[in-house]
Amino acid sequence: MKNSKFVIEKLAKLFEQGLVSSKDIANEIMTILKSKRDEIVFRMKLTSKDEFEVLSKRVENLEKKIDQLKLTKKKKTKKAKRS
């Protein structure tokens, strides 16, 4: 319940600030969820803080590479012309 209130409060602040674009809202929601995920993992003490930071940077880099590959795949796909 506490976590849902936190997310709702964050969303309310976003609307107050005038962020109407769906992409902006989606990015903010993802940022909030990632920070909560990081906080939970850190509390569980699965890894040390240094290891966690290194691993999170590696995951971010991999996500960027995946996004780039998706974009290049979309750009390369062309339909053949019929004659």
Side-chain angles (χ1 to χ4, degrees):
M1 187 69 178
K2 184 179 178 182
N3 289 336
S4 62
K5 283 185 179 181
F6 175 78
V7 172
I8 292 171
E9 288 174 4
K10 289 289 186 180
L11 289 173
K13 286 181 184 179
L14 290 175
F15 286 118
E16 287 175 6
Q17 294 172 354
L19 294 176
V20 181
S21 173
S22 61
K23 286 186 179 183
D24 291 340
I25 293 173
N27 288 338
E28 281 296 319
I29 291 172
M30 290 304 294
T31 304
I32 291 168
L33 293 176
K34 284 180 183 179
S35 67
K36 279 297 183 184
R37 177 199 64 192
D38 296 347
E39 187 177 312
I40 291 169
V41 170
F42 185 69
R43 283 186 188 168
M44 292 173 67
K45 297 182 182 177
L46 298 174
T47 61
S48 68
K49 186 162 181 128
D50 295 333
E51 291 174 357
F52 179 75
E53 289 176 2
V54 170
L55 290 174
S56 64
K57 286 181 183 178
R58 291 181 72 187
V59 169
E60 285 178 18
N61 288 338
L62 290 172
E63 288 174 346
K64 287 179 186 176
K65 287 181 181 179
I66 289 171
D67 290 339
Q68 288 175 351
L69 289 173
K70 285 181 182 178
L71 288 175
T72 56
K73 186 177 180 181
K74 287 182 182 178
K75 289 180 181 177
K76 288 183 180 179
T77 307
K78 292 183 180 178
K79 294 184 178 179
K81 293 182 181 180
R82 292 186 181 184
S83 50

